[in-house]
């Protein structure tokens, strides 16, 4: 059974950095059976894609985070990461990791979410 458990998040000042972790179980992330993505939902906003791994394995970033956020993964630990630098107040949101089977467009499995708060 696929499960995603998130770690990290918290409060940081503008310009600071945070790293979110998303530990996967039930499959080997190195197999690329699943493509992963990071999402967020800010207060009063709809959920949006922050970054995702596309069908060709390229990493795509939202314009709002390009150059500041980086996704990576540790295959040995079976963990995905979202490194967030130069954080802005508008990055404040609940963040989620999710995966979809590489043959599907359905983000089927989700982490529990973690709050990121950026204050000045």
């Amino acid at each position: 059974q696929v499960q995603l458990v998130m770690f990290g998040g918290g409060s940081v000042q503008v310009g600071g950095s945070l790293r979110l972790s998303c530990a996967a179980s039930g499959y080997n992330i190195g197999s690329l059976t699943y493509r992963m993505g990071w999402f967020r939902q800010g207060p009063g906003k709809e959920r949006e894609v922050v970054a995702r791994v596309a069908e060709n394995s390229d990493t795509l970033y939202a314009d709002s985070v390009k150059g500041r956020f980086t996704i990576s993964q540790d295959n040995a630990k079976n963990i995905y990461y979202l490194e967030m630098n130069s954080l802005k107040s508008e990055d404040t949101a609940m963040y989620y990791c999710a995966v979809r089977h590489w043959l599907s467009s359905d983000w089927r499995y989700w982490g529990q979410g973690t709050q990121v708060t950026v204050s000045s």
Side-chain angles (χ1 to χ4, degrees), residues 6 13 19 24 27 33-34 51-52 55 60 62 65 77 80-82 98 101 103 110 116:
M6 298 180 64
Q13 290 189 326
R19 187 177 75 167
Y27 71 103
T33 301
Y34 290 92
R52 68 180 181 90
E55 288 73 12
L60 305 176
V65 307
K77 295 181 178 179
Y80 302 107
Y81 299 102
L82 178 67
H101 192 273
L103 293 173
W110 291 81
V116 172

Side-chain angles (χ1 to χ4, degrees), residues 72-98:
S72 62
Q73 61 187 64
D74 185 328
N75 292 343
K77 295 181 178 179
N78 230 42
I79 298 177
Y80 302 107
Y81 299 102
L82 178 67
E83 190 76 39
M84 304 183 293
N85 298 312
S86 302
L87 282 162
K88 304 176 181 180
S89 57
E90 51 263 44
D91 295 318
T92 294
M94 184 70 78
Y95 284 71
Y96 300 89
C97 60

Side-chain angles (χ1 to χ4, degrees), residues 25-86:
S25 60
Y27 71 103
N28 182 352
I29 67 173
S31 70
L32 301 182
T33 301
Y34 290 92
R35 298 291 192 263
M36 79 90 52
W38 290 92
F39 299 77
R40 69 185 181 187
Q41 187 166 15
K45 298 180 181 180
E46 294 188 354
R47 187 175 62 198
E48 62 176 347
V49 177
V50 174
R52 68 180 181 90
V53 178
E55 288 73 12
N56 62 357
S57 298
D58 285 349
T59 302
L60 305 176
Y61 295 93
D63 288 343
S64 58
V65 307
K66 277 181 183 177
R68 301 188 298 121
F69 289 14
T70 304
I71 64 175
S72 62
Q73 61 187 64
D74 185 328
N75 292 343
K77 295 181 178 179
N78 230 42
I79 298 177
Y80 302 107
Y81 299 102
L82 178 67
E83 190 76 39
M84 304 183 293
N85 298 312
S86 302

Side-chain angles (χ1 to χ4, degrees), residues 8-12 16-20 82-85 87 115-118:
S11 297
V12 66
S17 299
L18 281 174
R19 187 177 75 167
L20 306 183
L82 178 67
E83 190 76 39
M84 304 183 293
N85 298 312
L87 282 162
Q115 178 68 36
V116 172
T117 301
V118 185

